[in-house]
Amino acid sequence: MKREDLRKAGGSALLALAMALAGGAAIWASNELATEVRQSHAQAQSGRDAAQRALSAARAEEAEIAAKIDRFRHLVERGAVGPEQRLAWVELIRDARARHGLGAVDYEFSPQRPLDPALAPADTGQLEATSSALRIRMPLLHEGQLVALLDDLVRHASALVRVRECTLSRAATAAPGGEQLNADCLLDWITFRPRSGGPA
């Protein structure tokens, strides 16, 4: 082979090598670019996910605050926030007794005391729950009278009324009004007041 042919062959080999290197570099650059694009996309997606989580958390907190405000407004409207209104409770019992045609009703409120935390409504915030137990006994013509009375008290009392226990027994002798059942119930009348040391 002549020297001129060798030079041409060498030039072709160098050109082929250069093209191969250029092709490899292009592939490497393409892979690097694809990796950067994927990373950028992942970062953008992560940012969007974080923003969505923050928005969802803010909306959940807003809904929780709104629910607490509604609950507090409901308690205030019922008269369940502040001092006990025992005179109003007594009048409610008397009115309910007359409305449902009950005979003699014997009732007694116990002194007010803090409500057992296990029984207190959730999310009372800076309000402390207190309770006065009501023992109420009455003769009945039928069970429906008791159900109606308790429903009346639960719906209209300026407190949250919780029926703790209730027993029915048959009277040994009929009462003057013909009642043959006796009811003996214990109810918690729950009210709320600001916690000591809590914000005004």
Side-chain angles (χ1 to χ4, degrees):
M1 182 178 290
K2 296 181 180 180
R3 182 177 299 177
E4 185 65 25
D5 293 334
L6 289 174
R7 282 200 301 271
K8 289 180 180 180
S12 297
L14 289 174
L15 179 59
L17 178 60
M19 292 178 65
L21 291 174
I27 293 173
W28 177 83
S30 177
N31 289 337
E32 286 295 308
L33 179 60
T35 300
E36 291 179 4
V37 169
R38 286 194 297 270
Q39 290 176 345
S40 297
H41 177 73
Q43 290 174 354
Q45 184 64 45
S46 177
R48 285 193 294 270
D49 291 345
Q52 185 62 43
R53 287 193 297 271
L55 179 60
S56 297
R59 287 175 176 171
E61 183 177 3
E62 181 181 357
E64 182 180 357
I65 292 173
K68 288 182 178 180
I69 291 174
D70 286 343
R71 181 173 179 80
F72 179 74
R73 184 182 297 116
H74 172 70
L75 292 174
V76 171
E77 289 173 352
R78 286 199 64 152
V81 177
E84 289 186 331
Q85 302 180 35
R86 290 204 176 192
L87 288 179
W89 297 353
V90 169
E91 290 179 4
L92 175 62
I93 293 171
R94 290 175 178 171
D95 290 344
R97 168 186 170 274
R99 186 160 44 250
H100 301 297
L102 295 168
V105 175
D106 179 32
Y107 58 89
E108 180 181 3
F109 281 102
S110 66
Q112 185 185 47
R113 63 180 183 180
L115 183 65
D116 183 347
L119 302 178
D123 298 329
T124 53
Q126 295 301 319
L127 295 176
E128 178 185 6
T130 60
S131 173
S132 292
L134 169 68
R135 173 68 68 180
I136 184 168
R137 301 179 179 90
M138 71 203 86
L140 301 170
L141 289 170
H142 52 80
E143 296 178 2
Q145 287 182 307
L146 176 61
V147 173
L149 174 71
L150 294 178
D151 183 67
D152 216 343
L153 299 183
V154 169
R155 286 177 178 271
H156 300 110
S158 55
L160 298 184
V161 178
R162 170 182 173 269
V163 180
R164 192 190 307 179
E165 61 183 48
C166 220
T167 58
L168 282 175
S169 60
R170 186 163 295 279
T173 58
E179 299 91 342
Q180 295 186 351
L181 295 175
N182 287 322
D184 185 346
C185 299
L186 185 62
L187 285 64
D188 291 314
W189 293 59
I190 302 169
T191 55
F192 301 85
R193 62 189 180 193
R195 294 183 185 277
S196 301

